[in-house]
Amino acid sequence: MKKLFLLSLTVAFAVLLAVPASAAVEVVDPGYYARFRGKGKSINVHNWGEYIADGSDGGMDVIAEFEKLTGIKVNYTTFSTNEEVYARLRGGSANYDVIIPSDYMIARMIREGMLEKLDLSNIPNAAFISEEFRHNAFDPTAEYSVPYTWGTVGVIYNTQMVDEADLGSWDLLWNEKYMGNILMFSNPRDAFGISLKRLGYTINPENEEQLSESLAELKKQKMLVQAYVMDEIFDKMIGGEAAIAPYYAGDALTMMADNPDLGYFAPSEGTNLFVDATVIPKGSREKECAEMFINFLQEPKVGAANIGYIGYSSPNDAVLAELPVEVIENPVAYPPREVLAKTDFWKDLPPELNKAVDAAWTELLSSDEQYSKWLIPMMMAAGIAASVTINLARAYRRRRDREYTDSFPKKRM
């Protein structure tokens, strides 16, 4: 489904990323991957949906290539939100060797002792990570994570359904003109982050007062929202079932490739700059195999195939060198400095504020305000009924007045 190379309009990119079934993927050190061949090893990888090249676009199937190269079987599953993967790990019912959460969740997992420290001698390709993405605030010592992708959040809109004059601000998501055609994030950090930015704050609530103010705005918006979504956004926006949605820039590129009526903008108030990174959960049974998988994802050719498929931005300098200039100059994937200057990174919130965010999210979803597809027809029906009632009343008064007038004797002329 991911087709970023269609946006670049270069056959060269498609050729670059294609790996024939008979050819081995090109890696920096082939001997490195021979350690576990024939040993019956397997790893459990948990990732976002639609977030790794699977060969469906005619390019590389990353997991299949890793299995062929190393002999390690990959059991691959997906999640929809950071909170979902956190709950699975915290609940103790899941056994994963590699997961790919976002920055603020990684910080929380580090703080709560949920991640293994990485042995970077087993991940030599981590040296390709750009300097600006090393020692991030969520992992300042770079001991627990290797960045996978980065990106920003903006607004996707249907150019045939949205007036150009309404574009440019987060206010579009609160515009009553588009009632029932607005989608919203189905996760608390993104939803509250947007509301906070619109109010002039950073995306990270600093106290419960800011959170309450943000919640009040989201409650006002709820009447306009068709649905709270994550991966469902693809079908809805590509199929023209909704007009407006906030989402990740990489996925916006995918949707625009599939539907030329879609556009995208970074809101003037500013937005989120996020990093998703590979980490190893505490207690992994195959830590070295997991580190080998993380290293494979940082191979220049593999990383280029991934970026070409998922549409997100790469923090890997060697991968950037593999990509066509049309991709790295795309302002959606690689925004200009003036856009980046207005971005905030997610922060790991204090435990009490995390609980307040969760409680506020529950309150929002359970509040009475709710868009219904029957709301507009009902309002129209009510309006028609009111009009009919008024007209009948007027007709009755006119008839009564005539009858009253006719009751008087007529004057002789």
Side-chain angles (χ1 to χ4, degrees), residues 331-354:
V332 176
Y334 298 89
R337 291 189 180 276
E338 57 266 26
V339 172
L340 294 177
K342 294 183 179 180
T343 60
D344 300 325
F345 279 104
W346 292 121
K347 295 179 180 177
D348 177 31
L349 300 178
E352 62 275 10
L353 203 49
N354 264 324

Side-chain angles (χ1 to χ4, degrees), residues 59-76:
M60 184 186 299
D61 183 333
V62 169
I63 290 175
E65 290 299 325
F66 176 77
E67 291 178 332
K68 184 166 61 175
L69 181 65
T70 66
I72 300 169
K73 177 175 173 52
V74 176
N75 303 309
Y76 187 81

Side-chain angles (χ1 to χ4, degrees), residues 208-225:
E208 293 196 29
E209 288 73 23
Q210 288 184 5
L211 186 61
S212 295
E213 192 177 348
S214 174
L215 174 61
E217 291 301 307
L218 289 173
K219 284 183 176 180
K220 293 177 186 176
Q221 182 204 37
K222 189 176 181 183
M223 182 64 74
L224 312 177
V225 173

Side-chain angles (χ1 to χ4, degrees), residues 24-259:
V25 63
E26 181 182 330
V27 295
V28 174
D29 179 8
Y32 163 87
Y33 294 101
R35 282 186 290 165
F36 298 109
R37 288 181 193 152
K39 296 186 178 180
K41 297 286 188 178
S42 66
I43 56 173
N44 299 322
V45 176
H46 203 41
N47 192 8
W48 298 86
E50 298 283 341
Y51 214 38
I52 195 167
D54 62 5
S56 61
D57 60 351
M60 184 186 299
D61 183 333
V62 169
I63 290 175
E65 290 299 325
F66 176 77
E67 291 178 332
K68 184 166 61 175
L69 181 65
T70 66
I72 300 169
K73 177 175 173 52
V74 176
N75 303 309
Y76 187 81
T77 55
T78 62
F79 58 87
S80 297
T81 69
N82 285 293
E83 288 69 27
E84 180 183 327
V85 70
Y86 173 83
R88 288 175 181 168
L89 286 179
R90 179 52 70 193
S93 60
N95 174 32
Y96 302 122
D97 299 294
V98 178
I99 59 174
I100 309 181
S102 300
D103 36 30
Y104 74 92
M105 188 55 69
I106 293 172
R108 182 176 183 179
M109 290 176 174
I110 292 172
R111 174 169 53 80
E112 297 183 12
M114 298 172 66
L115 301 179
E116 296 280 359
K117 285 188 177 182
L118 302 177
D119 183 347
L120 291 179
S121 67
N122 289 330
I123 313 175
N125 289 341
F128 293 139
I129 298 298
S130 302
E131 187 63 35
E132 61 191 294
F133 289 102
R134 299 184 188 186
H135 306 288
N136 296 289
F138 63 89
D139 182 12
T141 61
E143 294 179 287
Y144 294 92
S145 65
V146 177
Y148 180 61
T149 62
W150 67 275
T152 57
V153 174
V155 177
I156 307 162
Y157 63 95
N158 190 307
T159 59
Q160 303 303 305
M161 302 168 71
V162 178
D163 294 333
E164 187 174 353
D166 296 329
L167 305 179
S169 167
W170 287 120
D171 287 343
L172 182 61
L173 299 176
W174 275 260
N175 192 322
E176 295 181 1
K177 184 192 302 185
Y178 305 106
M179 176 186 283
N181 271 314
I182 298 171
L183 303 176
M184 190 58 174
F185 273 115
S186 183
N187 77 72
R189 287 303 294 268
D190 280 312
F192 282 109
I194 288 170
S195 183
L196 286 162
K197 264 296 188 184
R198 179 171 172 263
L199 290 167
Y201 302 121
T202 73
I203 61 171
N204 301 287
E206 297 175 353
N207 50 56
E208 293 196 29
E209 288 73 23
Q210 288 184 5
L211 186 61
S212 295
E213 192 177 348
S214 174
L215 174 61
E217 291 301 307
L218 289 173
K219 284 183 176 180
K220 293 177 186 176
Q221 182 204 37
K222 189 176 181 183
M223 182 64 74
L224 312 177
V225 173
Q226 180 192 117
Y228 293 90
V229 298
M230 290 302 293
D231 286 345
E232 303 92 334
I233 190 177
F234 291 100
D235 289 340
K236 285 183 174 290
M237 291 303 295
I238 292 170
E241 297 175 29
I244 303 162
Y247 218 60
Y248 312 115
D251 291 316
L253 288 168
T254 294
M255 288 181 261
M256 288 190 288
D258 285 339
N259 183 347

Side-chain angles (χ1 to χ4, degrees), residues 297-327:
L297 294 180
Q298 298 297 333
E299 291 286 348
K301 298 291 187 184
V302 175
N306 259 338
I307 294 305
Y309 180 77
I310 68 178
Y312 282 66
S313 309
S314 177
N316 182 315
D317 287 335
V319 170
L320 292 177
E322 296 284 337
L323 298 176
V325 66
E326 293 89 345
V327 173

